[in-house]
Amino acid sequence: MNENPYLPLKAEILEVIQETSSDLDIKTYVLKFAKGKKIDFMPGQFVEFSIPGIGEAPFGFASNPLRNDTIELTIKRTGKLTNAIHALKPGDSAFIRGPFGNTFPVDLFQGNDIFYIAGGLGLAPLRPLITYVFEEVNRSKYGKIQMLLAARSSADFIFFREYEQWRKIKDTELTLTIDKPEPGWNERVGFPHNLVAEMSFDFNKTYAVLCGPPIMIKFVSQKLIEMGMPLDRIYTTLEMRMTCGVGNCGKCNIGHKYVCVDGPVFSLQELEKMPTEY
């Protein structure tokens, strides 16, 4: 394990997976630490990924915390650092420090149904929670699983190769939706908040976990609240607000909270007590 999360560990890139085939360039990086070191983490946490001479940025874990011989990070190309990351190939090295942040309350979720709603890249920070719950040692601890995965187009889904496997797991329903009709697309079309309105839940035994574009989170959470879901049963992650990871730079400050230290996972009940700027 990493005894000091503030010190970066050298990691080798074992595999690079091109997730999308659209102009939304997203890749998953499979990394293994040198000298047999590992990072112990839980769903919801993140690391700082650095390339010397270029920069550093936070990215949420995208892999199963119970299988941490390697870690996976799913990264969209958006600027100088991510351009440099996207140029990395198997065999290249980078530096990782962490883990940082709080976690999804996996113990609180036990005995309840879980409803995952992810938009585009928002599925990446949910994947550790999804795979953690789906592990054979854990699956019986949780109830019914419903998943609503949304993307602009069929070419924008990430981890698409895993969906059929997820669908085969007991008491699991997975719905895919895209914004506009496409030739050959046989699943749903429409925005997530409209599809949520068609679904049914036992609000006394369901937790909703949302991650995606802010506008999606806003409309989906509003719809769930209208349908009767309590604020303390809706969780999201505010990863996009973070930079340094240790509450030093102040860029993720919201009121008296620092997203990178007090989050990035929050319930809507917690967010209700914070300034509306989030």
Side-chain angles (χ1 to χ4, degrees), residues 61-227:
F61 288 97
S63 50
N64 188 336
L66 298 182
R67 305 190 183 199
N68 66 343
D69 288 338
T70 61
I71 65 167
E72 296 180 27
L73 304 174
T74 300
I75 298 171
K76 180 171 71 171
R77 183 165 58 85
T78 59
K80 181 180 178 181
L81 176 60
T82 53
N83 284 341
I85 293 173
H86 271 232
L88 295 174
K89 297 177 175 59
D92 290 340
S93 296
F95 290 87
I96 304 291
R97 61 183 179 92
F100 300 115
N102 67 351
T103 72
F104 288 108
V106 293
D107 292 338
L108 179 67
F109 291 172
Q110 287 187 18
N112 291 270
D113 299 338
I114 302 177
F115 177 36
Y116 301 105
I117 313 98
L121 185 60
L123 181 57
L126 296 191
R127 189 180 180 216
L129 179 60
I130 292 169
T131 54
Y132 177 90
V133 170
F134 279 163
E135 277 288 320
E136 186 175 355
V137 69
N138 287 330
R139 184 63 189 92
S140 63
K141 300 175 184 178
Y142 302 89
K144 180 180 179 181
I145 302 297
Q146 290 178 276
M147 307 172 71
L148 176 58
L149 310 183
R152 294 181 312 172
S153 71
S154 61
D156 293 315
F157 283 104
I158 61 176
F159 316 130
F160 194 86
R161 59 195 173 277
E162 299 180 6
Y163 296 169
E164 287 309 309
Q165 177 185 344
W166 291 351
R167 278 176 162 151
K168 293 176 182 178
I169 295 173
K170 183 181 179 181
D171 294 329
T172 298
E173 295 179 5
L174 190 155
T175 301
L176 302 179
T177 186
I178 58 176
D179 291 354
K180 299 177 181 179
E182 286 182 16
W185 180 255
N186 299 317
E187 304 220 26
R188 298 300 301 270
V189 175
F191 297 111
H193 64 284
N194 292 326
L195 273 62
V196 167
E198 303 173 5
M199 304 174 76
S200 61
F201 310 95
D202 181 344
F203 293 116
N204 293 317
K205 60 170 295 187
T206 301
Y207 281 95
V209 186
L210 290 63
C211 194
I215 190 68
M216 186 210 81
I217 293 175
K218 177 181 179 180
F219 282 109
V220 170
S221 59
Q222 285 179 347
K223 181 57 63 177
L224 288 170
I225 293 167
E226 289 173 9
M227 294 170 67

Side-chain angles (χ1 to χ4, degrees), residues 12-36:
E12 178 187 352
I13 296 172
L14 299 183
E15 185 179 4
V16 179
I17 303 168
Q18 180 68 48
E19 295 288 354
T20 54
S21 56
S22 67
D23 60 339
L24 194 67
D25 192 2
I26 300 175
K27 294 179 179 179
T28 293
Y29 293 82
V30 182
L31 301 107
K32 187 177 184 66
F33 295 103
K35 299 180 181 179

Side-chain angles (χ1 to χ4, degrees), residues 25-49:
D25 192 2
I26 300 175
K27 294 179 179 179
T28 293
Y29 293 82
V30 182
L31 301 107
K32 187 177 184 66
F33 295 103
K35 299 180 181 179
K37 291 187 177 292
K38 297 181 181 181
I39 289 183
D40 294 325
F41 69 96
M42 287 295 287
Q45 292 188 292
F46 66 96
V47 294
E48 293 282 342
F49 188 121

